[in-house]
Amino acid sequence: MIVLGIETSCDETGVGIVRAEGGETTLLANEVASSVDEHARFGGVVPEVASRAHLQAMVPAVHRALATAGVTGRDVDAVAVTSGPGLTGALLVGVAAAKAYASAWDVPLYGVNHLSAHVAVDVLQHGPLPPCLALLVSGGHSSLLDVPDLAGPVTPLGATIDDAAGEAFDKVARLLGLPFPGGPHIDRVARDGDPAAVAFPRGLTGPRDAAFDFSFSGLKTAVARHVEALGRAGTPVPVADVAASFQEAVVDVLTAKAVRAARERGMETLLLGGGVAANSRLRALAQERCDAAGIVLRVPRPGLCTDNGAMVAALGAHLAVAGTPASPLDLPADSQMPVTEVLVTAR
């Protein structure tokens, strides 16, 4: 079975193609057209700019993916698309395109959840996924999920109550004069800094706090006040030290809560996904703590952590092979799609 996946939840136009055969899912193509440079001058993603960029990139991305995979539309057995959550206008472009291709090729259409797709993408690198605890960290999400199977049901254990980790990286990068998107630049600069230089707070880690929820707004404010205090004193900001200390505060909370959740749920596997999963310190600390706890850590390579069409195709292939009924052709673009809904079904 060959499945084409389309991802347009934010600022990447992703088109991926996978082949599912004999219990294995193989990546054939993964084309990504990013509009991040168009958003950089605004310091963040502008929904209208993202939507227009998707419109321009969609058809060329599909053509490149088909060419890379060495297949044509007649070879595609199903189309999968991110139905939500995400930016409404951006999602609409992908959903409309997926409906058009599924109709033209007369194949089933699967409208899937963006977060579930971030979990499913790991099968492309590490093979079939056992029941796992998933820590998904991106610009819009910081979530802990109990995933017994890729087809669901997914049980949310915790989420951010304010800024997601990726948002905090972007905002702190701006405070430190680093470019957008902030995550890669903080990761790079922090390698030359001291993670213990500044004792930044760890949000929601008190005995009475929600065990598996996250909060990074207070940490962002603490960094801002520290930088402002240095400015008032006429002291240069040690960017590397501040970046390293901020990054350590984020990854310390993320990994500690994830490992704790895995232990309490009796999970032997922890999956780390989402764009922030490309962060080198997060990957290293997660591995260190999982090793100490006897938990198997699975992390896709960085190119599969960020938004892409391959992850959507992987989830679509899993659902199709399992014989799951396809989504209706009038499926919506749902910016608030709940994490418990893996697939859009007939209503």
Side-chain angles (χ1 to χ4, degrees):
M1 176 172 286
I2 293 178
V3 180
L4 180 142
I6 294 175
E7 155 62 28
T8 62
S9 65
C10 193
D11 58 342
E12 277 94 20
T13 307
V15 179
I17 299 176
V18 303
R19 175 187 289 113
E21 184 177 14
E24 297 292 331
T25 307
T26 305
L27 180 61
L28 302 181
N30 189 26
E31 295 295 325
V32 178
S34 177
S35 58
V36 65
D37 291 342
E38 298 177 49
H39 303 286
R41 64 192 182 100
F42 300 105
V45 176
V46 181
E48 176 66 16
V49 173
S51 301
R52 291 180 180 275
H54 289 311
L55 282 170
Q56 294 174 346
M58 178 56 64
V59 174
V62 170
H63 287 174
R64 289 198 304 273
L66 291 170
T68 300
V71 299
T72 69
R74 292 186 296 275
D75 300 313
V76 174
D77 298 299
V79 173
V81 63
T82 296
S83 185
L87 302 175
T88 301
L91 290 168
L92 281 168
V93 177
V95 169
K99 290 177 180 179
Y101 284 115
S103 296
W105 297 334
D106 192 24
V107 296
L109 173 63
Y110 292 86
V112 303
N113 191 295
H114 178 78
L115 298 181
S116 295
H118 270 304
V119 177
V121 74
D122 187 68
V123 304
L124 298 177
Q125 184 168 348
H126 299 120
L129 183 68
C132 70
L133 191 290
L135 172 61
L136 301 183
V137 196
S138 67
H141 305 278
S142 297
S143 304
L144 277 172
L145 309 173
D146 185 328
V147 185
D149 184 82
L150 291 179
V154 172
T155 302
L157 304 179
T160 182
I161 64 171
D162 43 53
D163 285 356
E167 288 180 276
F169 270 92
D170 288 339
K171 292 174 180 178
V172 168
R174 193 178 307 132
L175 289 170
L176 298 178
L178 299 174
F180 174 84
H185 297 286
I186 286 182
D187 191 8
R188 171 180 53 80
V189 170
R191 292 169 190 166
D192 297 323
D194 178 5
V198 187
F200 287 130
R202 270 65 167 164
L204 291 185
T205 55
R208 297 186 179 181
D209 291 326
F212 303 134
D213 282 341
F214 302 101
S215 172
F216 298 109
S217 181
L219 171 59
K220 174 201 66 181
T221 301
V223 176
R225 288 177 176 169
H226 182 75
V227 171
E228 290 167 2
L230 291 174
R232 287 194 299 270
T235 304
V237 177
V239 173
D241 285 346
V242 173
S245 299
F246 159 76
Q247 178 176 264
E248 193 68 16
V250 173
V251 304
D252 181 22
V253 172
L254 289 172
T255 56
K257 293 202 173 199
V259 170
R260 178 181 173 185
R263 280 174 163 170
E264 290 192 7
R265 303 290 287 193
M267 290 291 188
E268 298 179 353
T269 302
L270 173 65
L271 184 138
L272 180 59
V276 181
N279 179 275
S280 63
R281 180 55 185 154
L282 175 58
R283 297 164 80 96
L285 188 56
Q287 188 66 66
E288 177 184 324
R289 286 181 166 170
C290 281
D291 288 344
I295 296 170
V296 175
L297 178 67
R298 291 177 51 144
V299 191
R301 60 182 179 270
L304 293 178
C305 288
T306 52
D307 292 350
N308 60 82
M311 68 185 199
V312 179
L315 180 54
H318 179 85
L319 295 169
V321 168
T324 307
S327 301
L329 271 178
D330 63 350
L331 70 93
D334 185 357
S335 64
Q336 300 298 317
M337 189 174 184
V339 68
T340 52
E341 186 175 345
V342 175
L343 172 71
V344 177
T345 56
R347 302 179 186 275

